[in-house]
């Protein structure tokens, strides 16, 4: 985050929720490079020092969660989630699974679970940061950690690159317009950092490269991120679109409503 003073930190989006819960924040410099390099070289040493200080001052241990929560615990969380999908008829209803990929833990969990159950569907991850190779490398590492040494990431998952736009948490006007269009047409909210980019990328791939999918029955797993929509980035786009800027002043109760309503079926 490009700020110099603590008082410059906003209370928007996820920051509002965390502040309301009384969380303590430590702001670190913005750094170029892959997320995992930034974490291991810059963030992890700071986190370890904070954990040591907490232990020294309170006697309490800290549960350190790496960037994105991409640990073996997180991995098995998505393996369990896959089992839930199976119980809900995944194999009978769908041919493909698509999910957004940041630190790739969710994609790795789904891909491994699918492999262990016979690869009956095809798993696709759409990155919102970094390069394609780094995602395959992470999943290869996860395979090694769980003892699956006879299979490679490229055999069990399709990483669909080319849709991260300007980069992580950076948006183009086209991406914001897409989010507004989908939300107003379907009522489905897509955050700009993850699901907005991935959904837009999925639709583009379905139109331009449909053969990379196993079939036509696609399950997109929405990973949340709603509070990421509340940071003000969408404000101007919402105001510019007529269907999302229907705000009228109705000051005199004796007047007719300022908007004429028509049937949506006409």
């Amino acid at each position: 985050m490009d700020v110099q003073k603590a008082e410059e930190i906003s209370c928007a989006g996820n920051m509002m929720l965390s502040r309301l819960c009384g969380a303590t924040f430590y702001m670190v410099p913005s750094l170029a490079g892959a997320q995992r390099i930034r974490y291991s070289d810059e963030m992890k040493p700071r986190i370890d020092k904070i954990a040591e200080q907490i232990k020294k001052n309170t006697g309490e241990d800290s549960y350190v969660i790496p960037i994105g929560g991409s640990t073996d615990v997180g991995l098995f969380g998505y393996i369990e989630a896959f089992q839930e999908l199976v119980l809900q008829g995944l194999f009978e209803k769908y041919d493909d699974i698509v999910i957004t990929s940041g630190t790739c833990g969710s994609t790795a969990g789904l891909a491994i679970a699918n492999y262990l159950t016979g690869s009956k569907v095809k798993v696709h991850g759409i990155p919102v940061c970094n390069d394609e190779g780094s995602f395959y490398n992470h999943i290869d590492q996860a395979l090694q950690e769980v003892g699956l040494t006879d299979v490679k990431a490229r055999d069990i998952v399709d990483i669909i690159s080319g849709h991260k736009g300007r980069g992580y948490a950076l948006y183009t006007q086209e991406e914001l317009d897409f989010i507004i269009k989908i939300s107003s047409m379907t009522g489905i909210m897509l955050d700009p950092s993850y699901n907005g980019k991935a959904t837009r990328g999925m639709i583009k791939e379905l139109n331009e490269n449909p053969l990379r999918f196993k079939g036509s029955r696609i399950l997109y797993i929405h990973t949340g991120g709603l509070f990421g929509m509340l940071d003000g980035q969408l404000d101007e786009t919402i105001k510019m679109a007529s269907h999302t800027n229907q705000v009228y002043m109705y000051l005199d109760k004796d007047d007719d409503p300022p908007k004429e309503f028509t049937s949506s079926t006409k």
Side-chain angles (χ1 to χ4, degrees), residues 95-136:
D95 306 305
D96 298 77
I97 293 176
V98 179
I99 191 168
T100 182
S101 296
T103 53
C104 210
S106 54
T107 307
L110 292 173
I112 290 173
N114 184 49
Y115 169 73
L116 293 174
T117 51
S119 299
K120 296 177 182 178
V121 297
K122 187 174 182 180
V123 177
H124 311 265
I126 302 183
V128 297
C129 57
N130 299 339
D131 61 273
E132 177 182 306
S134 67
F135 287 92
Y136 283 122

Side-chain angles (χ1 to χ4, degrees), residues 59-106:
E60 297 179 353
D61 293 321
S62 298
Y63 189 84
V64 176
I65 302 174
I67 186 169
S70 292
T71 64
D72 52 354
V73 175
L75 183 75
F76 278 95
Y78 263 91
I79 291 176
E80 285 290 322
F82 189 91
Q83 180 61 23
E84 289 187 26
L85 293 174
V86 172
L87 294 175
Q88 294 173 28
L90 171 67
F91 296 146
E92 294 75 30
K93 298 176 182 177
Y94 298 101
D95 306 305
D96 298 77
I97 293 176
V98 179
I99 191 168
T100 182
S101 296
T103 53
C104 210
S106 54

